[in-house]
Amino acid sequence: INSGAEKDEAMIRRLKDMGFVWSLSEYDWETRFQEVKEYYDIYGDLTMEHIPDRVKRTQLRHWLTTQRSVYTGRCGGRLDEDRIRRLNELGIIWSKEKHNDDIFAEHCAEYRAYIKAYGTTAVKQDYVTKDGVKLASWISNQRDKYRNGKLSAERIHMLEEAGMIWEPTKALWHDMYEKTKAYVEKYGDVKGLSSHNLDKEKSQIKEWIRRQRDNYNHPEKKRNRALTEDEKRKVEALGIL
């Protein structure tokens, strides 16, 4: 027969498994954390700038500031290892001495490194930087700000230097152009793409070339997109027409 202490421990374990909250302070912390996490899952950062409700935006920013203050010892309280780990997974920056411009520059550098590593400006949705930033969400946010006139000239320049192409459709065109250019540089021409047994990337290049020929020669067709003068020069230089 179980002792009273063993029964109590078993009951505690069952309550924990059910998500039982032992104190109001624990409940409040968990509630705020989930709200912050929901924002992070959508936007990939902890700025809270996309929350339309000013009161809610201020509350969550204040909560994050409090977590930083507790962590650095600037105010009373304690963050256990589990809470620190969970906040780190959201990419929290503990020191406010790290200026927003520094953070922005780091993200630009991470985007540049991604393009160099993967050969594409299209970031995978599940890609997370070493600092816990969802890079695809961050890039999408910068495009939104650009369209709404909320990016400074300096930041626009930094993003373009990193490889940013503002319109996603143009970004896709640029990526396929670079892949086709690399293929032509490697093989000298595109004759090898006439084969029916092509891998996924070569099949994509073959289909892209077909579309560019059609766009170039028949821009009047409704299904086609007229190439810009710059795009025309690029495909002409590839020798694929």
Side-chain angles (χ1 to χ4, degrees):
I1 300 174
N2 289 337
S3 68
E6 289 174 334
K7 289 180 180 179
D8 288 345
E9 288 179 6
M11 177 64 74
I12 290 170
R13 284 197 298 272
R14 286 199 294 273
L15 287 170
K16 283 184 176 179
D17 290 341
M18 293 167 61
F20 186 81
V21 177
W22 298 97
S23 70
L24 286 176
S25 62
E26 183 179 344
Y27 175 80
D28 288 342
W29 193 95
E30 192 64 38
T31 299
R32 287 287 182 258
F33 175 81
Q34 290 302 326
E35 289 174 336
V36 167
K37 185 177 184 300
E38 286 176 11
Y39 183 94
Y40 172 80
D41 287 340
I42 296 172
Y43 298 106
D45 60 42
L46 298 178
T47 63
M48 304 297 131
E49 62 185 13
H50 294 286
I51 297 177
D53 186 326
R54 182 181 61 82
V55 174
K56 174 60 69 176
R57 184 169 65 246
T58 301
Q59 285 176 341
L60 295 184
R61 283 175 171 171
H62 177 72
W63 184 83
L64 285 167
T65 298
T66 300
Q67 305 315 302
R68 293 185 181 102
S69 296
V70 171
Y71 179 83
T72 57
R74 291 197 298 270
C75 74
R78 178 180 173 273
L79 281 177
D80 61 32
E81 290 184 4
D82 182 61
R83 288 183 177 182
I84 292 171
R85 175 188 60 78
R86 293 167 70 190
L87 287 165
N88 278 330
E89 288 175 353
L90 301 187
I92 191 170
I93 295 172
W94 296 108
S95 174
K96 290 304 288 180
E97 294 172 2
K98 200 169 192 180
H99 195 271
N100 285 337
D101 286 344
D102 296 330
I103 297 170
F104 186 87
E106 286 179 7
H107 292 349
C108 285
E110 286 160 346
Y111 186 43
R112 184 185 297 108
Y114 182 95
I115 294 171
K116 183 177 180 180
Y118 296 98
T120 176
T121 59
V123 180
K124 293 180 180 179
Q125 290 299 317
D126 60 353
Y127 181 83
V128 179
T129 71
K130 64 181 184 299
D131 292 326
V133 175
K134 291 188 174 182
L135 193 57
S137 295
W138 185 79
I139 292 298
S140 178
N141 287 343
Q142 304 317 307
R143 286 190 172 123
D144 287 342
K145 290 178 181 179
Y146 177 80
R147 282 192 289 269
N148 294 321
K150 294 183 177 180
L151 275 181
S152 66
E154 181 183 3
R155 291 196 169 188
I156 290 172
H157 176 72
M158 290 171 68
L159 284 162
E160 290 178 344
E161 285 285 301
M164 171 68 88
I165 297 174
W166 297 109
E167 293 300 326
T169 53
K170 290 184 179 180
L172 180 59
W173 191 96
H174 179 268
D175 288 344
M176 288 307 304
Y177 164 77
E178 290 295 334
K179 288 181 180 180
T180 305
K181 181 182 177 184
Y183 181 92
V184 171
E185 289 174 349
K186 182 176 181 179
Y187 296 102
D189 55 43
V190 295
K191 293 178 181 178
L193 297 175
S194 60
S195 171
H196 294 292
N197 299 315
L198 299 173
D199 61 27
K200 182 178 179 180
E201 181 168 302
K202 289 178 181 177
S203 295
Q204 290 175 340
I205 293 172
K206 180 179 181 179
E207 174 59 20
W208 185 81
I209 290 173
R210 184 195 67 76
R211 289 201 307 271
Q212 302 322 302
R213 287 171 176 166
D214 205 24
N215 290 338
Y216 185 91
N217 294 313
H218 304 287
E220 74 284 353
K221 290 183 179 179
K222 288 185 178 180
R223 70 171 184 270
N224 290 349
R225 179 181 73 83
L227 299 177
T228 66
E229 291 303 315
D230 181 58
E231 289 171 344
K232 287 179 182 179
R233 285 194 294 271
K234 286 180 176 178
V235 295
E236 287 169 352
L238 287 177
I240 62 173
L241 299 172

